[in-house]
Amino acid sequence: MKALTANRLDDGEVVFWNKGAWVERFADAELFADDATGEAAEGQGKSQPNTVIDVYLIDLIESEGLWAPLSFRERIRALGPLNHPTHGKQAEGGAAIEALRHAAGASRSTGRVNLIKRK
Amino acid sequence: MYQYDTIDKEFLADRAAEFKQQVERRLAGEITEDQFKMLRLRNGLYLQLHAYMLRVAIPYGSLNATQLRKLADIGRRYDKGYGHFTTRTNLQFHWIKLREAPAILEELATVDLHAIQTSGNCIRNVTSDPYAGATAEEIDDPRVWSEAIRQWSMLHPEFSHLPRKFKFAVTAAPKDRTAARVHDIGLVVRRARDGTMGFEVIVGGGMGRTPYVGPTIKEFLPANRLFSYLDATLRVYNRHGRRDNAYKARIKILVAALGAEEFRRQVEEEWEKVGPGADMPDTEIARIRAAFSVKAFDTLVNRSEAFETAKAADPAFARFARNNLKPHKRPGYTIVEISLKGIGDTPGDATSDQMDAVADLGERYGQNDIRITHEQNLVLPHVKLDDAHAVFQGLAAAGLATPNINLISDIIACPGLDYCALANARAIPIAQDIAHRFADQDRAELVGELKIKISGCINACGHHHVGHIGILGVDKKGEEFYQLTLGGSGAEDAEVGKMLGPALPADRVTDAIDTIVEVYLRERADGERFLDTFRRTGVAPFKEAVYAEAH
Amino acid sequence: MPKLIRIEDGQFVSADDPFTHVADDEGMPPGDVIISLTRFSAEGDALISQGRAVGVRIEPDEEVEALAYDLPKLAVVAVAFPKYRDGRGFSTSHLLRQRFGFKGEVRAVGEVLREEANFLTRCGCDSFETADGSSPEQWAHAANRHRHVYQRASDGRIPAFTERAES
Ligand code: HEM
Ligand code: SF4
C-alpha cells in the first residue's frame, strides 16, 4: 500500500494526496493498492509545482488495524516532532494518531519509494 | 558593542526588499522551485520535515536585549513560541511559512538582524568567543575581527559561489571556546615578542563525513594583512577546490589532498600577488574597535559581600555559582552562563518567554550584552557579583538556572530526525534520556567536565566528532542506532574522537554512557577530566566494559 | 544578429552581438569570433592578423594566466559559467580586471541568471549572454538593488569603509 505526500509551497505544511486534492491529515490520505494508480497520482501531483513541492510516494504498513507510513521519517512527518507532542499534526490525538505513534518499521530513507527504486 | 550605521542598516533593508520580491515571484508562479530554492537558501530558508525553517544569523554570537526580544516576538507570532540555538550560534525557527518569511526578514532588519549567508556555498556566520570583552585571558577582542570579516564577507563578489560552505572562527584566548581547529578557517589572535598583533591561521579543519583538525598554515600573520591573506586563501580554494562531489568539496579536502605544505605554498604565492591593496584600511578596523571598547565598568573590589552571603544562604545558588559563573577580567564582575540544557528539555531550545527573561536580565544587570555559545547556551558576559543572585533568581523563575555548564547533562544535540530532512536518527530523545540519568547534580559534579555531543547524521551539525563522548545516529536496517566515539575535543587540544565499537540500539545508549562514566571514575587519577583519563588509558577499558555488558 | 545585455556608460542595454561562438570542431566562419583557449593557442595569431576581432572563452578549469600575454590583442574574454553555482568564473573575471588590467569586454556566458547580476558586474563582467531570457531593465534592477557594498571590486563602486571615511 502506498500514499502520496508533499509539502505545501505556501507554508511548508506536510500534505497528502486525496483524489485530486491535498489534505493535511495522513488519516485522510488516499491509499493506493497498486503501483499504477499511485504513479498516476504522483504524476498529477508533480504537475502542480506552484501548489506543492517535493512530491513523492511513500510505502505503508499496517498498525493497529490502520495504515501507517513504513518509515519512521514519514511517520514523524505525519505526526510532528516527537519532542513537542503538542506541535504539529499529532496535537489532535485520536486513534489514527495513536496508530502512527505505535507503528514500527524502517527509520529513514526506505520509506521514500522513489529512493528505493533508484538503488 | 558595534552599532549598525546607516550603511549597515540600508544594506539589510535592501536585502529584505529583494527577498520579498523573490518570494512574490515564486508565489505567483513566475519562477520555478529550482530557480527559487537557491534564492531562499541564500536567505537561510530551508524546507525541513514539517515546515520551512528560517536560520537567523547571530553575528559572532552577540545580541542586545532589543534583538533578543525581537527574536522572542517572532517566535511567538510566526512560530510556536520558541527557537533553537545552534552550534553555529545561529537561531533556527522551525515552523515558518514561506509567505510570512519576507515580513520576518523585514522585522529582523529593523533590529539589525538578518539571515544572509546562513546557508549555501558562501562565507557563513563567524563564530567567536562568547567571553569576548569579558575574559582576562584574551589578548585582543576577537569581535573586532569577526565584525570586519562579517562586512568583508557580505555578498562577497568573488567568494559567494565557493565549492562548498565556508565557516570562520575567531578567538583571542588560549582557551578555545569557538572550536577554531574544526572550522574551515580558524583565526587565533597572537602577539609577537615585539608586541605586534597577528593571527595564527588554521585552515582546513571540519567535521561532516571526513573530520579533520585543521593544520596551521601560517604561524603569524600580521593583523593588518588579514584580508589580503584571506583573499589569497579563498581564491586558491575557489579555483582549485573540488566541485564534482559535494562530499569532497570543503576546503579541508583540498588542504588534505595537496598537503598543508603545498597548500601553504600556493596561498603564499597568491598572497604575494594580491598585495596589501586588498587589506582593509586601518581606519576601518579602528572604527570597529572603538565601537567595542566602550564599556562602562564600575570600579569594584574583588570580593562581593552580597554574593558571599547569598551563596551561604542559598545552596542552589552556591551550586549555580560553582558551575555557571566564570571569572571576569574586572574585579567584582562575573560571566554568567545560562544553560539551555534543562534536564529533559530539548538542547538549545528557548521559549519566547525565556528569551524575554534573558533580555530583561541582560538589560538590567548585564550591560545589555548577551552572547550565544557554540555549545548552545547563552551568556551574560558582564554581571556584577553583587547582582549575581538576582540574576540567578530571575533565571530560575524562567526555568533557566540549570547549574550544569560543562557537565555531563550540558549536551549538544542537533535537531535530528524530529525536524531535519537529512537525519538518520533522532538526537533529542537521546540527549533527554542521558540528562535524566545524570539529573543528580552531585553525581554530575563528581564526574566533572564531560562534553557529550550528538548528531542525527554524519553531517555532524551536533559536533559529535569532537565530543568527549560523541554520539552519531545511524540507520541500521531501518532502525535508529547510535555510534559512540570517545576522546574527541573541539577546544585548543582539538582531536577527532575514536570509535568505541559497533553501533548500539537507542535503548542501550544511556546505559553505555553510564558504563563509560563508571570506568572513568574507576580509572581516573587525581584531577583528571574524562578526556585526560581517556587519553591516558586509551579506548580499551571503555570498550571492554560497554561491550562486555552487551551479552 | 543575436542580442546580449551590455553595460554601456553605466547603463544596462540590449545590444547586437557581432561575435560568433565557434566550437573547436567547427569550420571558421567569417567575421568576429569567440574561440576556445586551445584553438586560440593554435590559430589565434593567424585570425587576428586577418583583421577580425577575436575573443577567447575561458572554461572554469582553465587558468586565465595562460592568456596574460595575449590579452592586449583580445576584444573579448568570455568567462564560462556552465552552472551558475560554479564560481570559478568570478575569480577569472576578477583576475582579468584587477591583476591583468584587461580593458576589453568581459562576457559572462553559460548559465547566466539575473539573480547573479550583482556578483557578475562586481567582478568585472560587462556583458551577459543570459540564460533566463531576462531584460536589461531586470538586470539593472538586480545589479543595483543594494545601495551599499562592503568590498572593493572591479566595478569601482565605493566600499562601505570608504563611504564612512569620507562622510
Ligand atoms: C535544515 C537543517 C540542516 C541542514 C540541512 C544541515 C546540513 C548540513 C550539512 C550537509 C553539513 C555537512 C557539510 C559538509 O560536510 O560539507 C552540515 C554540517 C554542519 N552543520 Fe548543519 N544542517 C542543518 C542544521 C544544523 C543545525 C541545527 C546546526 C547547529 C546545531 C548546524 C551546524 C552545523 C555544523 C556545526 C556542521 C559541522 C561543521 C562543518 O563541517 O561544517 N546545522 N550541516
Ligand atoms: S547532523 Fe544531520 S540530522 Fe543533525 S541537523 Fe545536521 S543534517 Fe540534520
mmCIF file of all heavy atoms in Angstrom, chain B residues 46 48 53 55 86-88 92 164-165 167 207-208 250 376 415 420 422 459-461 463, ligand 1:
data_model
loop_
_atom_site.group_PDB
_atom_site.id
_atom_site.type_symbol
_atom_site.label_atom_id
_atom_site.label_comp_id
_atom_site.label_asym_id
_atom_site.label_seq_id
_atom_site.Cartn_x
_atom_site.Cartn_y
_atom_site.Cartn_z
ATOM 1 N N TYR B 46 15.144 27.010 4.718
ATOM 2 C CA TYR B 46 15.223 25.604 4.306
ATOM 3 C C TYR B 46 13.825 25.003 4.360
ATOM 4 O O TYR B 46 12.980 25.468 5.117
ATOM 5 C CB TYR B 46 16.049 24.798 5.306
ATOM 6 C CG TYR B 46 17.533 25.001 5.323
ATOM 7 C CD1 TYR B 46 18.100 26.117 5.937
ATOM 8 C CD2 TYR B 46 18.381 24.042 4.797
ATOM 9 C CE1 TYR B 46 19.471 26.259 6.006
ATOM 10 C CE2 TYR B 46 19.759 24.180 4.870
ATOM 11 C CZ TYR B 46 20.300 25.292 5.469
ATOM 12 O OH TYR B 46 21.656 25.425 5.541
ATOM 13 N N GLN B 48 12.233 21.833 5.925
ATOM 14 C CA GLN B 48 12.522 20.735 6.836
ATOM 15 C C GLN B 48 11.393 19.726 6.744
ATOM 16 O O GLN B 48 10.581 19.776 5.832
ATOM 17 C CB GLN B 48 12.629 21.274 8.261
ATOM 18 C CG GLN B 48 13.766 22.216 8.455
ATOM 19 C CD GLN B 48 14.940 21.525 9.083
ATOM 20 O OE1 GLN B 48 15.530 20.638 8.499
ATOM 21 N NE2 GLN B 48 15.261 21.905 10.301
ATOM 22 N N MET B 53 12.180 26.159 7.628
ATOM 23 C CA MET B 53 12.991 26.543 8.774
ATOM 24 C C MET B 53 13.760 27.800 8.383
ATOM 25 O O MET B 53 14.331 27.851 7.296
ATOM 26 C CB MET B 53 13.954 25.417 9.146
ATOM 27 C CG MET B 53 14.895 25.721 10.284
ATOM 28 S SD MET B 53 16.408 26.534 9.744
ATOM 29 C CE MET B 53 17.386 25.137 9.248
ATOM 30 N N ARG B 55 16.855 30.168 9.372
ATOM 31 C CA ARG B 55 18.057 30.251 10.207
ATOM 32 C C ARG B 55 18.514 31.704 10.255
ATOM 33 O O ARG B 55 18.949 32.268 9.256
ATOM 34 C CB ARG B 55 19.141 29.356 9.628
ATOM 35 C CG ARG B 55 20.375 29.263 10.489
ATOM 36 C CD ARG B 55 21.436 28.384 9.848
ATOM 37 N NE ARG B 55 21.096 26.981 9.864
ATOM 38 C CZ ARG B 55 21.658 26.069 9.061
ATOM 39 N NH1 ARG B 55 22.545 26.440 8.174
ATOM 40 N NH2 ARG B 55 21.326 24.806 9.143
ATOM 41 N N THR B 86 21.776 27.134 17.754
ATOM 42 C CA THR B 86 22.573 26.066 17.141
ATOM 43 C C THR B 86 24.050 26.167 17.502
ATOM 44 O O THR B 86 24.504 27.156 18.070
ATOM 45 C CB THR B 86 22.473 26.116 15.600
ATOM 46 O OG1 THR B 86 23.321 27.162 15.118
ATOM 47 C CG2 THR B 86 21.046 26.361 15.149
ATOM 48 N N THR B 87 24.768 25.128 17.107
ATOM 49 C CA THR B 87 26.213 25.097 17.346
ATOM 50 C C THR B 87 26.973 26.132 16.528
ATOM 51 O O THR B 87 28.164 26.287 16.699
ATOM 52 C CB THR B 87 26.788 23.710 16.991
ATOM 53 O OG1 THR B 87 26.260 23.311 15.730
ATOM 54 C CG2 THR B 87 26.402 22.681 18.029
ATOM 55 N N ARG B 88 26.291 26.779 15.612
ATOM 56 C CA ARG B 88 26.973 27.843 14.866
ATOM 57 C C ARG B 88 26.488 29.201 15.354
ATOM 58 O O ARG B 88 26.568 30.193 14.656
ATOM 59 C CB ARG B 88 26.768 27.683 13.360
ATOM 60 C CG ARG B 88 27.346 26.363 12.853
ATOM 61 C CD ARG B 88 28.221 26.534 11.642
ATOM 62 N NE ARG B 88 29.390 27.343 11.884
ATOM 63 C CZ ARG B 88 29.555 28.589 11.490
ATOM 64 N NH1 ARG B 88 28.602 29.213 10.847
ATOM 65 N NH2 ARG B 88 30.653 29.229 11.751
ATOM 66 N N GLN B 92 17.420 29.035 14.928
ATOM 67 C CA GLN B 92 16.535 28.472 13.918
ATOM 68 C C GLN B 92 15.091 28.498 14.387
ATOM 69 O O GLN B 92 14.784 28.077 15.498
ATOM 70 C CB GLN B 92 16.945 27.027 13.608
ATOM 71 C CG GLN B 92 18.320 26.937 12.987
ATOM 72 C CD GLN B 92 18.698 25.566 12.466
ATOM 73 O OE1 GLN B 92 19.722 25.443 11.786
ATOM 74 N NE2 GLN B 92 17.910 24.558 12.746
ATOM 75 N N ARG B 164 31.921 24.883 -1.650
ATOM 76 C CA ARG B 164 31.074 24.436 -0.546
ATOM 77 C C ARG B 164 31.049 25.543 0.492
ATOM 78 O O ARG B 164 31.767 26.529 0.391
ATOM 79 C CB ARG B 164 31.669 23.137 0.024
ATOM 80 C CG ARG B 164 30.724 22.255 0.814
ATOM 81 C CD ARG B 164 29.714 21.509 -0.054
ATOM 82 N NE ARG B 164 28.766 20.764 0.781
ATOM 83 C CZ ARG B 164 27.682 21.278 1.337
ATOM 84 N NH1 ARG B 164 27.376 22.543 1.141
ATOM 85 N NH2 ARG B 164 26.886 20.539 2.087
ATOM 86 N N LYS B 165 30.210 25.358 1.510
ATOM 87 C CA LYS B 165 30.106 26.346 2.589
ATOM 88 C C LYS B 165 31.452 26.630 3.261
ATOM 89 O O LYS B 165 32.354 25.802 3.220
ATOM 90 C CB LYS B 165 29.109 25.857 3.620
ATOM 91 C CG LYS B 165 29.418 24.449 4.142
ATOM 92 C CD LYS B 165 28.571 24.144 5.356
ATOM 93 C CE LYS B 165 27.622 23.007 5.132
ATOM 94 N NZ LYS B 165 27.014 22.506 6.371
ATOM 95 N N LYS B 167 33.207 28.286 6.842
ATOM 96 C CA LYS B 167 32.933 28.772 8.197
ATOM 97 C C LYS B 167 34.200 29.261 8.886
ATOM 98 O O LYS B 167 35.208 28.570 8.895
ATOM 99 C CB LYS B 167 32.310 27.640 9.016
ATOM 100 C CG LYS B 167 31.025 27.089 8.382
ATOM 101 C CD LYS B 167 30.489 25.868 9.119
ATOM 102 C CE LYS B 167 29.205 25.374 8.464
ATOM 103 N NZ LYS B 167 28.701 24.151 9.118
ATOM 104 N N MET B 207 34.172 18.993 10.092
ATOM 105 C CA MET B 207 33.561 17.769 10.601
ATOM 106 C C MET B 207 32.917 17.014 9.449
ATOM 107 O O MET B 207 33.592 16.684 8.503
ATOM 108 C CB MET B 207 32.639 18.129 11.739
ATOM 109 C CG MET B 207 33.491 18.561 12.929
ATOM 110 S SD MET B 207 32.603 18.997 14.384
ATOM 111 C CE MET B 207 32.642 20.755 14.298
ATOM 112 N N GLY B 208 31.638 16.757 9.540
ATOM 113 C CA GLY B 208 30.993 16.045 8.441
ATOM 114 C C GLY B 208 31.550 14.634 8.294
ATOM 115 O O GLY B 208 32.014 14.017 9.237
ATOM 116 N N ARG B 250 34.693 20.576 0.504
ATOM 117 C CA ARG B 250 35.139 21.520 1.538
ATOM 118 C C ARG B 250 36.642 21.772 1.409
ATOM 119 O O ARG B 250 37.388 20.929 0.916
ATOM 120 C CB ARG B 250 34.830 20.968 2.941
ATOM 121 C CG ARG B 250 33.347 20.781 3.233
ATOM 122 C CD ARG B 250 32.602 22.084 3.414
ATOM 123 N NE ARG B 250 32.929 22.762 4.651
ATOM 124 C CZ ARG B 250 32.288 22.603 5.802
ATOM 125 N NH1 ARG B 250 31.275 21.776 5.885
ATOM 126 N NH2 ARG B 250 32.652 23.284 6.871
ATOM 127 N N GLN B 376 25.477 25.833 22.485
ATOM 128 C CA GLN B 376 24.023 26.038 22.541
ATOM 129 C C GLN B 376 23.552 26.575 23.887
ATOM 130 O O GLN B 376 22.472 26.224 24.351
ATOM 131 C CB GLN B 376 23.267 24.750 22.200
ATOM 132 C CG GLN B 376 23.592 24.192 20.827
ATOM 133 C CD GLN B 376 22.861 22.903 20.543
ATOM 134 O OE1 GLN B 376 23.150 21.883 21.147
ATOM 135 N NE2 GLN B 376 21.914 22.936 19.631
ATOM 136 N N PRO B 415 19.006 19.017 15.727
ATOM 137 C CA PRO B 415 17.565 18.714 15.734
ATOM 138 C C PRO B 415 17.250 17.260 15.370
ATOM 139 O O PRO B 415 16.236 16.717 15.808
ATOM 140 C CB PRO B 415 16.994 19.672 14.694
ATOM 141 C CG PRO B 415 17.985 20.787 14.608
ATOM 142 C CD PRO B 415 19.323 20.152 14.836
ATOM 143 N N CYS B 420 14.825 17.354 11.041
ATOM 144 C CA CYS B 420 15.738 17.567 9.921
ATOM 145 C C CYS B 420 15.512 16.569 8.794
ATOM 146 O O CYS B 420 15.438 15.365 9.015
ATOM 147 C CB CYS B 420 17.179 17.465 10.413
ATOM 148 S SG CYS B 420 18.377 17.614 9.083
ATOM 149 N N LEU B 422 17.505 15.627 6.612
ATOM 150 C CA LEU B 422 18.659 14.800 6.252
ATOM 151 C C LEU B 422 18.964 13.732 7.297
ATOM 152 O O LEU B 422 19.870 12.923 7.136
ATOM 153 C CB LEU B 422 19.902 15.682 6.090
ATOM 154 C CG LEU B 422 19.813 16.820 5.084
ATOM 155 C CD1 LEU B 422 21.112 17.607 5.055
ATOM 156 C CD2 LEU B 422 19.503 16.290 3.705
ATOM 157 N N ASN B 459 26.540 14.418 8.883
ATOM 158 C CA ASN B 459 26.888 15.819 8.638
ATOM 159 C C ASN B 459 27.491 16.494 9.862
ATOM 160 O O ASN B 459 28.175 17.493 9.760
ATOM 161 C CB ASN B 459 25.675 16.602 8.164
ATOM 162 C CG ASN B 459 25.335 16.236 6.733
ATOM 163 O OD1 ASN B 459 26.220 15.981 5.928
ATOM 164 N ND2 ASN B 459 24.051 16.186 6.429
ATOM 165 N N ALA B 460 27.207 15.968 11.017
ATOM 166 C CA ALA B 460 27.911 16.367 12.235
ATOM 167 C C ALA B 460 27.569 17.773 12.708
ATOM 168 O O ALA B 460 28.398 18.445 13.314
ATOM 169 C CB ALA B 460 29.423 16.231 12.061
ATOM 170 N N CYS B 461 26.348 18.209 12.470
ATOM 171 C CA CYS B 461 25.930 19.518 12.971
ATOM 172 C C CYS B 461 25.998 19.549 14.496
ATOM 173 O O CYS B 461 26.147 20.613 15.082
ATOM 174 C CB CYS B 461 24.519 19.832 12.509
ATOM 175 S SG CYS B 461 24.353 19.739 10.724
ATOM 176 N N HIS B 463 28.388 18.296 16.196
ATOM 177 C CA HIS B 463 29.805 18.224 16.610
ATOM 178 C C HIS B 463 30.203 16.898 17.242
ATOM 179 O O HIS B 463 31.120 16.855 18.064
ATOM 180 C CB HIS B 463 30.119 19.331 17.634
ATOM 181 C CG HIS B 463 30.223 20.699 17.069
ATOM 182 N ND1 HIS B 463 30.780 21.750 17.751
ATOM 183 C CD2 HIS B 463 29.837 21.212 15.875
ATOM 184 C CE1 HIS B 463 30.733 22.848 17.022
ATOM 185 N NE2 HIS B 463 30.157 22.543 15.872
HETATM 186 C C1 HEM D 1 17.973 22.128 7.910
HETATM 187 C C2 HEM D 1 18.807 21.686 8.800
HETATM 188 C C3 HEM D 1 20.248 21.448 8.480
HETATM 189 C C4 HEM D 1 20.813 21.031 7.323
HETATM 190 C C5 HEM D 1 20.142 20.732 6.013
HETATM 191 C C6 HEM D 1 22.219 20.933 7.575
HETATM 192 C C7 HEM D 1 23.140 20.499 6.638
HETATM 193 C C8 HEM D 1 24.457 20.270 6.926
HETATM 194 C C9 HEM D 1 25.354 19.570 6.077
HETATM 195 C C10 HEM D 1 25.005 18.990 4.721
HETATM 196 C C11 HEM D 1 26.567 19.547 6.709
HETATM 197 C C12 HEM D 1 27.826 18.884 6.221
HETATM 198 C C13 HEM D 1 28.626 19.830 5.479
HETATM 199 C C14 HEM D 1 29.819 19.228 4.849
HETATM 200 O O1 HEM D 1 30.409 18.305 5.415
HETATM 201 O O2 HEM D 1 30.202 19.705 3.783
HETATM 202 C C15 HEM D 1 26.415 20.255 7.937
HETATM 203 C C16 HEM D 1 27.438 20.495 8.851
HETATM 204 C C17 HEM D 1 27.268 21.259 9.972
HETATM 205 N N1 HEM D 1 26.134 21.941 10.355
HETATM 206 FE FE1 HEM D 1 24.313 21.623 9.608
HETATM 207 N N2 HEM D 1 22.476 21.324 8.840
HETATM 208 C C18 HEM D 1 21.304 21.644 9.429
HETATM 209 C C19 HEM D 1 21.119 22.076 10.716
HETATM 210 C C20 HEM D 1 22.156 22.462 11.511
HETATM 211 C C21 HEM D 1 21.992 22.810 12.878
HETATM 212 C C22 HEM D 1 20.683 22.813 13.629
HETATM 213 C C23 HEM D 1 23.221 23.131 13.327
HETATM 214 C C24 HEM D 1 23.586 23.506 14.728
HETATM 215 C C25 HEM D 1 23.092 22.835 15.783
HETATM 216 C C26 HEM D 1 24.148 23.007 12.250
HETATM 217 C C27 HEM D 1 25.515 23.251 12.314
HETATM 218 C C28 HEM D 1 26.398 22.569 11.532
HETATM 219 C C29 HEM D 1 27.762 22.325 11.917
HETATM 220 C C30 HEM D 1 28.453 22.874 13.151
HETATM 221 C C31 HEM D 1 28.295 21.476 10.959
HETATM 222 C C32 HEM D 1 29.630 20.791 11.023
HETATM 223 C C33 HEM D 1 30.761 21.610 10.702
HETATM 224 C C34 HEM D 1 31.051 21.554 9.282
HETATM 225 O O3 HEM D 1 31.708 20.590 8.812
HETATM 226 O O4 HEM D 1 30.624 22.471 8.613
HETATM 227 N N3 HEM D 1 23.469 22.589 11.153
HETATM 228 N N4 HEM D 1 25.116 20.692 8.046
#
